[in-house]
Amino acid sequence: MNLRNTAVILMLFFFSGSYLFAQDEIKKEVNPKWDIGLEGMFGVAIGNDFYAFNVGGPSLLLRLNEDWRVGFGALPSFYIKEGKTGAKLGVSPRIDYKNFVLIAPFFHFDNPDKWVWSVGLGYKFHKKK
């Protein structure tokens, strides 16, 4: 085998190895690791003989700075009212400070026709950057 053939074989071997390495990098990008976690808010509110367990729904918030937000939102909730349980959508003004939320949800009941107010706290879960 002469020097020219040896050089060609070595060059083919080198370039095929770098091509295979590049393909391996592409495969890693196509199949990222699973990233599982909670995102949203969980809260508890208490009123007059009324208890609600809330999850954060859609909301409109004004961001005052990186830590503080104020706004209004909907709160899908499970409640206990006068010993009876149920599910209702509440609406609430809210004040967010970092991961903590001060909420004052109110709920409409048909029988009797009245609004039930409550006050509570929530905690926001979100993906770390």
Side-chain angles (χ1 to χ4, degrees):
M1 187 180 256
N2 64 21
L3 184 60
R4 181 175 173 226
N5 289 346
T6 305
V8 169
I9 291 171
L10 287 174
M11 288 178 66
L12 287 174
F13 180 73
F14 174 75
F15 287 119
S16 66
S18 61
Y19 174 76
L20 292 174
F21 179 74
Q23 294 301 313
D24 188 42
E25 290 299 316
I26 292 172
K27 288 178 187 175
K28 286 181 183 176
E29 291 176 10
V30 172
N31 298 318
K33 291 181 181 178
W34 283 61
D35 186 14
I36 299 173
L38 291 175
E39 291 194 36
M41 186 203 69
F42 177 77
V44 176
I46 300 172
N48 187 17
D49 201 16
F50 180 82
Y51 307 94
F53 306 95
N54 324 100
V55 293
S59 59
L60 181 62
L61 297 171
L62 172 65
R63 185 178 61 237
L64 302 174
N65 60 39
E66 191 172 318
D67 294 336
W68 289 93
R69 292 173 178 80
V70 295
F72 201 79
L75 294 173
S77 306
F78 292 106
Y79 70 88
I80 302 170
K81 180 179 183 278
E82 299 168 355
K84 298 178 182 171
T85 62
K88 276 219 179 279
L89 180 65
V91 290
S92 173
R94 57 186 282 172
I95 300 171
D96 296 26
Y97 176 71
K98 294 185 179 181
N99 290 341
F100 297 96
V101 182
L102 176 64
I103 53 176
F106 51 97
F107 303 85
H108 183 264
F109 287 88
D110 293 329
N111 191 11
D113 187 24
K114 69 176 185 176
W115 289 90
V116 174
W117 287 83
S118 57
V119 176
L121 291 174
Y123 184 81
K124 294 189 299 186
F125 299 91
H126 54 86
K127 183 178 177 180
K128 303 276 188 216
K129 291 183 181 179

